[in-house]
């Protein structure tokens, strides 16, 4: 009466399929006696020539000895489910997203290209079943003045929007963020200088500068002092990000709401900044709450940006990476994927910084998109890879319809692309996983009832790198193999 729960890897997506090697049993207790191996039946693909204890494929003859470490013990399975995946896309809509793309710079803007890629990902049949939500940043605080000349103008209804950005500390180097100031006392030994715009006669060159600064002047033209600034914290109010643009919902049901919102988004204004810190904090808080409200779901956030932080704290990369780290290591865990959209001359510095965020967020390295090539295709490919990588190697522990669950009689079998089947070793905890791979429960059965079967990282990587025919079988009723 051995049945199999198979997880097939198709086009980077784990697709659940249930196949039966022989007749089912009404007694679905985990605790099955070894005498069950003497029963026989037929599978959907042809007659069985031996006992139902076969652990080979469900499509061929069974002789009761294919189980390797399990010997001739019969195994019973219940329908197991891979944990659902939910993604919150945190999309940068700063002014630089309006830069054009292509080798000649005459292609569509980064903004238009990314929106097209998002819509294609949402309508891709391979995305069906995945939950997707959307948030945009920056979000300018309601009532914030478009310009200012004094700090007093940056207090709106009792909410402080920071300084009026007219002066900045001279950065120590080109990688340091530009920080506002009122006087030298705010700059830790560096000079507080007036911000300016590089002018060639009456025309702006489009570059910014610091008046009188030997390192941050103008390559062309002269640095003219700004007479008006902006409230530096106008997009840093956390409560403004509390409601996401589109809540997470499963595709294709949530597709219409998402595509409608994406298509209606206005083009970013030139003065819109990059408040990465506030966006990260709010996005991860939303995702963590969603994961709490939906136990059994794997929830991740995708930070899609074309720039490094320019406003809001934390402003430094280590500070932002720490936000990702705390979220990934917390409970529930929310990992952060990163997609960067940069020109080739920006990529070196950007890659180092975004990799730091992705690594801390538990996802390895950032996906870098070059503006010199087809941004839409690259961005869509990045989303597809994230979809495959984010799908969790975690499965619900099948619950028996009757009897007592025996967690010492659960096994996991992996069948490779070439059809080689092997029973994976059980590990006591995640920390016991090694290069040989295996699986473990989310909690020790000695202390509480497990709800998840989790593959060790090396086994998970092997599955996700398969060509699409590999599968996992969860087998019940035979003593757990510990390796």
């Amino acid at each position: 009466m051995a049945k199999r729960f198979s997880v097939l890897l198709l086009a980077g997506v784990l697709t659940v399929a249930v196949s039966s090697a022989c007749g089912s049993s009404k007694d679905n207790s985990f605790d099955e006696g070894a005498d069950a191996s003497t029963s026989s039946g037929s599978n959907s693909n042809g007659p069985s020539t031996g006992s139902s204890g076969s652990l080979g494929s469900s499509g061929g003859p069974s002789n009761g000895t294919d189980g390797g470490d399990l010997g001739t013990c019969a195994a019973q399975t219940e329908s197991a489910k891979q944990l659902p995946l939910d993604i919150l896309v945190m999309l940068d809509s700063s002014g630089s997203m309006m830069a054009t793309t292509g080798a000649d710079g005459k292609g569509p803007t980064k903004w238009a290209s990314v929106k097209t890629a998002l819509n294609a990902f949402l309508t891709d049949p391979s995305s069906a079943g995945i939950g997707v939500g959307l948030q945009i940043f920056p979000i300018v605080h309601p009532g914030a003045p478009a310009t200012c000349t004094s700090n007093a103008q940056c207090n709106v209804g009792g909410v402080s929007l920071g300084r009026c950005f007219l002066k900045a500390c001279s950065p120590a180097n080109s990688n340091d963020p530009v920080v506002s100031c009122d006087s030298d006392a705010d700059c830790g030994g560096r000079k507080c200088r007036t911000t300016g715009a590089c002018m060639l006669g009456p025309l702006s060159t489009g570059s910014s500068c610091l008046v009188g600064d030997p390192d941050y002047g103008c390559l062309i033209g002269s640095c003219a002092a700004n007479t008006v600034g902006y409230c530096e914290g106008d997009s840093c109010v956390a409560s403004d990000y509390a409601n996401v643009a589109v809540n997470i919902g499963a595709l294709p049901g949530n597709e219409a709401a998402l595509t409608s919102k994406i298509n209606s988004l206005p083009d970013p204004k030139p003065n819109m900044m990059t408040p990465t810190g506030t966006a990260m904090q709010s996005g991860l808080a939303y995702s963590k709450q969603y994961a709490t409200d939906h136990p059994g779901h794997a929830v991740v956030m995708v930070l899609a940006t074309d720039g490094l932080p320019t406003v809001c704290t934390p402003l430094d990369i280590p500070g932002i990476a720490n936000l990702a780290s705390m979220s990934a290591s917390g409970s529930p865990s929310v990992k952060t994927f990163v997609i960067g959209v940069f020109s080739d001359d920006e990529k070196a510095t950007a890659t180092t910084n975004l990799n730091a965020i992705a690594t801390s967020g538990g996802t390895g390295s950032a996906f870098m998109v070059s503006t010199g090539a087809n941004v839409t295709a690259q961005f869509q490919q990045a989303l597809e890879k994230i979809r495959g990588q984010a799908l969790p190697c975690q499965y619900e522990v099948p619950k028996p319809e009757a009897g007592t669950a025996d967690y010492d009689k659960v096994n996991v079998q992996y069948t490779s692309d070439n059809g080689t089947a092997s029973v994976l070793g059980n590990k006591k905890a995640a920390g016991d996983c090694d290069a040989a791979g295996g699986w473990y429960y989310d909690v020790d059965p000695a202390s509480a009832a497990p709800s998840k079967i989790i593959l060790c990282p090396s086994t998970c990587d092997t599955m996700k790198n398969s060509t699409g025919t590999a599968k996992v079988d969860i087998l019940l009723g035979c003593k757990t193999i510990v390796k």
Side-chain angles (χ1 to χ4, degrees):
M1 70 181 182
K3 293 184 292 182
R4 284 174 174 70
F5 164 72
S6 299
V7 182
L8 305 179
L9 280 73
L10 301 175
V13 180
L14 300 180
T15 304
V16 175
V18 178
S19 59
S20 176
C22 40
S24 63
S25 168
K26 293 182 179 179
D27 181 4
N28 292 314
S29 167
F30 285 13
D31 192 1
E32 289 289 319
D35 60 346
S37 65
T38 61
S39 65
S40 62
S42 61
N43 61 33
S44 58
N45 296 316
S48 171
T49 60
S51 74
S52 63
S54 167
L55 297 181
S57 69
S58 61
S62 167
N63 59 19
T65 61
D66 296 20
D69 291 332
L70 297 186
T72 59
C73 174
Q76 176 189 346
T77 67
E78 291 297 320
S79 295
K81 296 181 179 179
Q82 186 180 18
L83 298 186
L85 171 64
D86 297 300
I87 300 173
L88 177 67
V89 178
M90 179 64 69
L91 180 61
D92 183 353
S93 65
S94 58
S96 55
M97 287 292 285
M98 289 303 293
T100 54
T101 66
D104 57 1
K106 296 181 180 180
T109 64
K110 289 185 280 186
W111 181 244
S113 300
V114 168
K115 288 170 64 175
T116 300
L118 277 171
N119 281 332
F121 175 77
L122 295 171
T123 57
D124 182 352
S126 295
S127 295
I130 294 175
V132 179
L134 177 69
Q135 180 62 302
I136 311 297
F137 73 102
I139 298 177
V140 177
H141 185 69
T147 60
C148 59
T149 56
S150 69
N151 291 344
Q153 294 173 322
C154 294
N155 189 301
V156 179
V159 176
S160 174
L161 303 181
R163 289 189 178 99
C164 179
F165 203 151
L166 278 168
K167 296 182 178 181
C169 299
S170 294
N173 57 66
S174 60
N175 291 325
D176 274 6
V178 176
V179 179
S180 70
C181 57
D182 291 321
S183 67
D184 290 351
D186 300 320
C187 296
R190 300 196 300 276
K191 289 289 186 180
C192 179
R193 300 186 185 276
T194 300
T195 62
C198 294
M199 304 294 292
L200 190 60
L203 301 177
S204 171
T205 65
S207 298
S208 299
C209 54
L210 295 178
V211 177
D213 191 283
D215 297 318
Y216 292 86
C218 300
L219 294 176
I220 300 175
S222 59
C223 186
N226 291 327
T227 57
V228 295
Y230 62 91
C231 298
E232 63 174 346
D234 62 1
S235 57
C236 301
V237 181
S239 59
D240 293 338
Y241 295 81
N243 297 318
V244 298
V246 181
N247 281 304
I248 291 175
L251 299 174
N254 206 32
E255 178 188 318
L258 286 162
T259 55
S260 175
K261 183 64 179 180
I262 291 169
N263 293 336
S264 67
L265 289 171
D267 289 343
K269 297 178 180 179
N271 63 344
M272 296 184 78
M273 308 297 280
T274 311
T276 310
T278 300
M280 285 280 293
Q281 291 180 76
S282 62
L284 291 172
Y286 171 88
S287 300
K288 189 169 288 289
Q289 185 60 55
Y290 188 89
T292 300
D293 295 339
H294 298 79
H297 285 226
V299 183
V300 302
M301 189 178 81
V302 175
L303 172 66
T305 183
D306 79 326
L308 303 179
T310 56
V311 291
C312 308
T313 56
L315 196 57
D316 62 307
I317 293 299
I320 291 173
N322 186 54
L323 295 175
S325 176
M326 291 190 297
S327 179
S329 61
S331 181
S333 172
V334 174
K335 295 182 178 181
T336 301
F337 289 87
V338 183
I339 304 176
V341 184
F342 291 90
S343 63
D344 289 340
D345 59 348
E346 299 171 320
K347 283 180 68 174
T349 298
T351 299
T352 299
N353 286 307
L354 296 188
N355 277 349
I357 299 173
T359 299
S360 298
T363 60
S365 59
F367 295 87
M368 301 304 293
V369 172
S370 172
T371 59
N374 188 323
V375 170
T376 295
Q378 293 175 83
F379 197 93
Q380 185 177 348
Q381 289 169 4
L383 288 171
E384 291 168 353
K385 289 180 180 179
I386 289 171
R387 180 179 61 202
Q389 291 183 20
L391 280 165
C393 291
Q394 301 180 15
Y395 311 94
E396 295 179 11
V397 175
K399 297 179 180 180
E401 295 179 3
T404 303
D406 187 343
Y407 299 103
D408 290 327
K409 291 189 175 181
V410 176
N411 283 283
V412 178
Q413 178 179 269
Y414 173 71
T415 303
S416 66
D417 290 321
N418 64 12
T420 301
S422 58
V423 175
L424 303 176
N426 172 247
K427 309 294 184 181
K428 187 173 180 62
D432 297 317
C433 287
D434 51 26
W439 65 278
Y440 58 95
Y441 288 118
D442 58 329
V443 296
D444 187 344
S447 60
S451 61
K452 301 176 188 175
I453 288 173
I454 305 172
L455 300 186
C456 289
S458 60
T459 302
C460 183
D461 290 343
T462 298
M463 286 183 58
K464 291 184 176 182
N465 290 328
S466 77
T467 59
T469 58
K471 65 176 181 178
V472 168
D473 296 330
I474 300 176
L475 309 168
L476 310 176
C478 298
K479 185 174 178 60
T480 300
I481 300 300
V482 178
K483 295 181 181 179

